[in-house]
Amino acid sequence: RMVKLIGLQPSEESSVTYSDQAQISAWAQDAVDTVSAAGIMNGVGEGAFAPQQTYTLEQSIATMLRLYQTS
């Protein structure tokens, strides 16, 4: 939501597919696509996004810094 609020428009050509794509809930898919294409969230490594895992404090700080840097 913040990406859209700050008016960041990621390239629609950028499409990231994660190895655990099937675990991303349908309601979250557009948001994951948006933040991935914008380079704000890049998954947890080895091609995984880990959508069912706990979002850590460190991950939230990195996300906020990337949002700030892109706005």
Side-chain angles (χ1 to χ4, degrees):
R1 291 180 185 165
M2 181 60 79
V3 170
K4 291 180 182 179
L5 183 66
I6 63 175
L8 182 64
Q9 298 295 322
S11 171
E12 291 185 23
E13 296 172 6
S14 300
S15 179
V16 179
T17 302
Y18 294 102
S19 59
D20 55 357
Q21 191 84 24
Q23 294 178 10
I24 299 172
S25 298
W27 61 267
Q29 189 63 60
D30 286 342
V32 170
D33 290 344
T34 299
V35 295
S36 294
I40 294 169
M41 296 178 82
N42 302 310
V44 296
E46 299 182 19
F49 192 78
Q52 304 298 322
Q53 300 298 317
T54 301
Y55 190 60
T56 68
L57 176 62
E58 293 83 357
Q59 289 170 318
S60 65
I61 291 169
T63 300
M64 291 301 120
L65 285 173
R66 289 182 191 133
L67 276 169
Y68 177 76
Q69 292 169 344
T70 58
S71 63

